[in-house]
């Protein structure tokens, strides 16, 4: 059995399969298998597989699914929903684009099985506006599956029915936050909701809703096809499966790598052609823009949600950004903070006003116009607004994580910036 | 500038009604309506916004509320080709500043501006999901991803010799 179940069937040119090509490669067998089991059994298998959500938080997928009420057990009328989150916009992340463009039938398969296990009868795939090829390819896969009776009423004679639709978004990083995404689907500004109630109680249009990331959903068919034990054995740690890692920044061959969960940064960087620039690693972020900085001493940590958290960072989207010795982490941080400041929905004051303040100070540090008191403002903001901070959602808390780790690890470099701007750019360091 | 008519063109009207049907009513179809208008005309004018609001049965202010929140809905005319240039960290680490400078120099505009001849609009945007092609940009109606770019690559792109 393949060691790269998620991407093993993809073509080098990213061209998606037609339905018949996908079926010839074994596609939709997992659906047929799942629909012969009771939904609770499907859920149990995913539970046993230890599949953690791949969108950033790493919450166990089956645990989320268990909150979904059985038919007739939620008050009121209307369907339950599955929402597939394809609003990939985290700095450094480009994995979902690939899965959507190259493997749309895998996503449809995963959505059918997940909807079945969570008693959902309508599935939305929200895809960011810029991913035009992805939108077209998933739409086409849905039409093909509908025409073949794999979506719609009474799928494969199982009695289970599912309607699946693509909804393109129109910009804004915050749409990827699951409750903001639900607001967006309802036709509102993407402002996160207060929780509880959680989406499984009251989600889209007030109905029970599961929101899962594209990669999470795309892994589901393989669990049903090969079994939970096989899925767990793919991993080098307790967290099941392979991971679609991404490596970018200062490496010779940036790209996607499907590898066992728990693969080390050292191995991923090696497989990406090694560190570029001056060839010597300064630091890396293991999971996108909102993950804390790690250094050479952490190169051999098995990268998964638990181990990254233990190291004081976050696995996030599993999309690594690499810096060599000639790259300034404060410069990287400045780009991240400008991004998060720009993408704040504006609802919570610390985020709306605090992030631009942080971004301005980092710009001033780079330019050499910052004042000594500015570093204390950065420390105060990182402390007060960090994870589990004072905002509805995790946008600001996430943004503070690279700031806090940079302040802790690169204190001298911050101080050096006070004396005339970025010393790396000026060739002093 | 797109010539305005007092009514939505028939295909747009049908597409918006289709979105209402597909997405569960007028409200969930609001953003899609703006997207559909923009797909046809490049941007969303005041007239079109009012016409779509009337068709959806919502107030123009409600539709404007979405149009001003979602950053990829354009409420001003844009050039024939919109260039979304990534200003994220991975692109910066691979020479994004030089690409930005070259684009601004060649086009004579800054971010959020359109060239006088109406050919190009330049917008900064992150992350484009093209970090493996950093520095990356997305071009035109189909948001075609291009990269890795450098100054010479910008010249080639603008001169149509990729």
């Amino acid at each position: 059995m393949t060691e790269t179940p998620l991407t093993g069937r993809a073509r080098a040119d990213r061209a998606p399969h037609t339905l018949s090509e996908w079926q010839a490669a074994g596609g939709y067998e997992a659906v047929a298998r799942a629909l012969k089991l009771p939904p609770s059994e499907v859920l149990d298998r995913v539970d046993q597989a230890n599949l953690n959500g791949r969108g950033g938080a790493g919450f166990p997928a089956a645990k989320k699914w268990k909150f979904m009420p059985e038919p007739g057990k939620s008050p009121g009328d209307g369907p339950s929903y599955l929402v597939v989150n394809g609003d990939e916009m985290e700095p450094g992340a480009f994995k979902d684009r690939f899965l959507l463009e190259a493997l749309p039938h895998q996503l449809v398969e995963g959505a059918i099985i997940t909807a079945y296990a969570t008693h959902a009868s309508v599935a939305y795939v929200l895809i960011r506006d810029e991913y035009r090829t992805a939108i077209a390819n998933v739409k086409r896969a849905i039409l093909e599956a509908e025409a073949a009776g794999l979506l719609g009423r009474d799928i494969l004679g199982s009695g289970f029915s599912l309607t699946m639709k693509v909804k393109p978004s129109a910009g804004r990083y915050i749409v990827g936050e699951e409750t903001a995404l639900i607001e967006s689907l309802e036709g509102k500004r993407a402002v996160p909701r207060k929780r509880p109630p959680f989406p499984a109680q009251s989600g889209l249009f007030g109905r029970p809703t599961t929101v899962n990331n594209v990669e999470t959903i795309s892994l589901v068919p393989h669990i049903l096809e090969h079994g939970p034990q096989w899925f767990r054995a793919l991993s080098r740690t307790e967290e099941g499966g392979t991971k679609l890692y991404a490596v970018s920044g200062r490496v010779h061959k940036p790209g996607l790598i499907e590898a066992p969960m728990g693969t080390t940064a050292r191995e991923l960087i090696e497989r990406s052609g090694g560190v570029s620039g001056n060839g010597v690693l300064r630091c890396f972020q293991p999971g996108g823009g909102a993950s804390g900085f790690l250094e050479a001493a952490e190169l051999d940590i098995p990268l998964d949600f638990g181990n990254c958290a233990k190291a004081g960072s976050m696995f996030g989207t599993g999309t690594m950004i690499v810096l060599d010795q000639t790259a300034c982490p404060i410069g990287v941080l400045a780009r991240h903070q400008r991004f998060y400041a720009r993408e704040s929905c504006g609802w919570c004051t610390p985020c709306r006003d605090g992030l631009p303040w942080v971004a301005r100070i980092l710009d001033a540090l780079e330019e050499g116009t910052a004042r000594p008191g500015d570093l204390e403002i950065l420390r105060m903001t990182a402390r007060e607004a960090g994870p589990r901070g004072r905002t509805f959602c995790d946008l600001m808390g996430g943004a503070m994580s690279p700031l806090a780790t940079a302040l802790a690890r690169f204190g001298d470099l911050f101080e050096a910036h006070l004396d005339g701007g970025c010393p790396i750019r000026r060739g002093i360091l | 500038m797109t010539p305005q008519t007092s009514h939505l063109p028939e295909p747009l009207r049908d597409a918006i009604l289709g979105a209402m049907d597909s997405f569960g009513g007028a409200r969930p179809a609001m953003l899609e309506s703006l997207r559909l208008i923009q797909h046809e005309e490049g941007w969303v004018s005041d007239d079109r916004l009012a016409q779509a609001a009337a068709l959806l049965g919502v107030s123009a202010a409600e539709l404007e509320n979405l149009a001003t929140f979602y950053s990829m809905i354009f409420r001003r005319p844009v050039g024939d080709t919109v260039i979304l240039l990534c200003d994220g960290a991975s692109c910066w680490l691979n020479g994004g500043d030089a690409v930005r400078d070259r684009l601004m120099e060649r086009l004579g505009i800054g971010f959020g501006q359109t060239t006088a001849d109406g050919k190009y609009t330049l917008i900064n945007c992150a992350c484009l999901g093209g970090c493996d092609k950093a520095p990356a940009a997305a071009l035109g109606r189909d948001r075609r991803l291009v990269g890795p770019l450098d100054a010479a690559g910008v010249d080639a792109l603008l001169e149509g010799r990729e």
Side-chain angles (χ1 to χ4, degrees):
Chain A
M1 272 181 274
T2 172
E3 288 173 357
T4 53
L6 191 58
T7 58
R9 288 181 194 159
R11 293 171 169 145
D13 65 356
R14 289 185 172 220
H17 301 75
T18 62
L19 176 63
S20 52
E21 287 167 346
W22 188 250
Q23 285 176 314
Y28 289 96
E29 279 173 22
V31 168
R33 194 170 297 193
L35 295 184
K36 288 191 185 116
L37 301 169
S40 60
E41 175 65 25
V42 175
L43 197 152
D44 282 346
R45 292 194 185 184
V46 174
D47 197 10
Q48 289 155 17
N50 258 359
L51 170 64
N52 284 342
R54 303 296 202 244
F59 193 77
K63 200 171 168 188
K64 200 179 211 179
W65 297 1
K66 278 181 195 166
F67 294 126
M68 290 291 283
E70 284 177 27
K73 294 217 172 139
S74 68
D77 295 323
S80 293
Y81 293 95
L82 170 67
V83 176
V84 184
N85 187 347
D87 193 54
E88 177 173 71
M89 216 180 290
E90 183 67 28
F94 49 99
K95 64 185 182 71
D96 294 339
R97 181 199 274 268
F98 179 81
L99 294 172
L100 291 163
E101 285 183 6
L103 298 157
H105 275 296
Q106 179 170 263
L107 183 84
V108 174
E109 268 193 90
I112 296 168
I113 298 166
T114 306
Y116 180 66
T118 57
H119 319 289
S121 57
V122 181
Y124 280 98
V125 188
L126 183 134
I127 305 176
R128 68 180 290 192
D129 176 61
E130 294 86 344
Y131 284 8
R132 299 282 163 91
T133 306
I135 291 168
N137 292 3
V138 177
K139 276 187 176 172
R140 194 179 316 117
I142 289 172
L143 286 175
E144 286 177 332
E146 276 173 356
L150 291 159
L151 282 170
R153 293 191 64 77
D154 191 20
I155 298 168
L156 301 175
S158 64
F160 174 65
S161 302
L162 179 68
T163 307
M164 192 165 172
K165 303 166 194 198
V166 172
K167 192 152 191 201
S169 187
R172 284 298 198 141
Y173 170 73
I174 194 60
V175 174
E177 199 279 341
E178 69 173 16
T179 61
L181 192 154
I182 289 169
E183 289 282 298
S184 180
L185 286 175
E186 290 183 358
K188 301 172 192 159
R189 288 181 165 224
V191 175
R193 292 179 179 174
K194 187 177 177 298
R195 285 170 292 193
F198 288 91
Q201 299 163 265
S202 178
L204 184 58
F205 306 120
R207 303 295 306 159
T209 302
T210 307
V211 184
N212 279 138
N213 171 259
V214 165
E215 186 182 351
T216 315
I217 295 288
S218 300
L219 283 165
V220 169
H222 304 288
I223 296 172
L224 269 291
E225 201 174 335
H226 302 301
Q229 300 314 319
W230 166 86
F231 190 78
R232 288 177 77 142
L234 288 171
S235 167
R236 294 183 190 163
T237 67
E238 285 300 298
E239 300 174 19
T242 57
K243 175 76 188 77
L244 190 51
Y245 295 93
V247 186
S248 71
R250 292 279 171 88
V251 289
H252 287 291
K253 287 189 298 176
L256 297 170
I257 298 171
E258 184 181 2
M261 193 62 124
T263 301
T264 64
R266 185 186 303 279
E267 190 179 335
L268 293 170
I269 291 171
E270 273 168 18
R271 287 179 66 178
S272 305
V275 177
S276 61
N278 78 344
V280 184
L281 181 82
R282 179 187 289 277
C283 58
F284 63 98
Q285 292 181 280
S291 61
F293 287 96
L294 298 175
E295 295 171 88
E298 284 103 3
L299 274 173
D300 295 310
I301 289 174
L303 294 179
D304 67 4
F305 292 99
N307 284 301
C308 285
K310 239 182 271 172
S313 183
M314 185 183 79
F315 189 50
T317 46
T319 52
M320 187 187 303
I321 301 171
V322 177
L323 283 74
D324 72 307
Q325 291 282 356
T326 66
C328 181
I330 295 169
V332 165
L333 195 55
R335 269 86 202 156
H336 288 334
Q337 299 300 333
R338 277 187 219 160
F339 168 78
Y340 292 117
R342 189 166 73 206
E343 298 297 335
S344 166
C345 79
W347 184 253
C348 307
T349 307
C351 179
R352 182 187 60 236
D353 291 346
L355 286 174
W357 198 9
V358 168
R360 273 199 306 275
I361 290 176
L362 291 168
D363 286 345
L365 281 166
E366 216 175 358
E367 294 309 317
T369 55
R371 292 166 302 181
D374 284 345
L375 295 189
E376 187 43 41
I377 295 171
L378 292 182
R379 285 189 206 103
M380 181 269 291
T381 313
R383 194 171 57 235
E384 296 294 328
R388 290 178 292 281
R390 294 150 199 270
T391 45
F392 261 34
C393 83
D394 291 330
L395 187 141
M396 187 176 200
M400 289 303 95
S401 156
L403 175 62
T405 50
L407 285 164
R409 288 172 181 267
F410 312 119
D412 293 349
L413 194 55
F414 276 93
E415 295 286 344
H417 274 71
L418 290 172
D419 187 20
C422 180
I424 296 171
R425 194 179 55 188
R426 290 183 297 143
I428 300 168
L429 263 181
Chain B
M1 214 45 113
T2 315
Q4 297 293 306
T5 53
S6 56
H7 299 290
L8 283 169
E10 207 63 30
L12 255 179
R13 192 188 151 79
D14 291 347
I16 291 173
L17 292 172
M20 287 169 72
D21 204 37
S22 175
F23 295 136
R27 205 159 287 278
M30 285 161 66
L31 185 59
E32 182 64 8
S33 303
L34 295 168
R35 284 185 75 260
L36 288 165
I37 293 167
Q38 188 163 299
H39 264 267
E40 286 305 310
E41 303 185 344
W43 66 296
V44 181
S45 66
D46 289 348
D47 285 349
R48 286 286 182 258
L49 186 130
Q51 290 157 7
L55 179 61
L56 289 162
V58 301
S59 73
E62 283 178 284
L63 207 48
E64 183 77 299
N65 177 47
L66 292 193
T68 53
F69 182 87
Y70 291 94
S71 49
M72 286 299 142
I73 300 296
F74 305 142
R75 285 288 279 118
R76 278 188 288 167
V78 291
D80 301 334
T81 300
V82 173
I83 303 175
L84 301 175
L85 181 68
C86 186
D87 61 356
S90 289
C91 286
W92 177 68
L93 285 168
N94 286 289
D97 282 358
V99 173
R100 177 200 62 198
D101 293 347
R102 186 65 171 179
L103 268 171
M104 287 185 175
E105 180 198 329
R106 286 281 310 235
L107 300 175
I109 54 173
F111 285 134
Q113 296 177 339
T114 298
T115 53
D117 63 4
K119 275 192 175 164
Y120 293 100
T121 297
L122 182 62
I123 296 173
N124 55 325
C125 171
C127 173
L128 282 176
C131 317
D132 52 340
K133 295 184 175 177
L139 288 193
R141 290 278 175 104
D142 60 354
R143 301 288 184 261
R144 183 170 57 96
L145 188 70
V146 292
L149 290 169
D150 55 15
V154 167
D155 293 346
L157 205 61
L158 296 181
E159 288 155 23
R161 34 173 196 90
E162 277 176 75

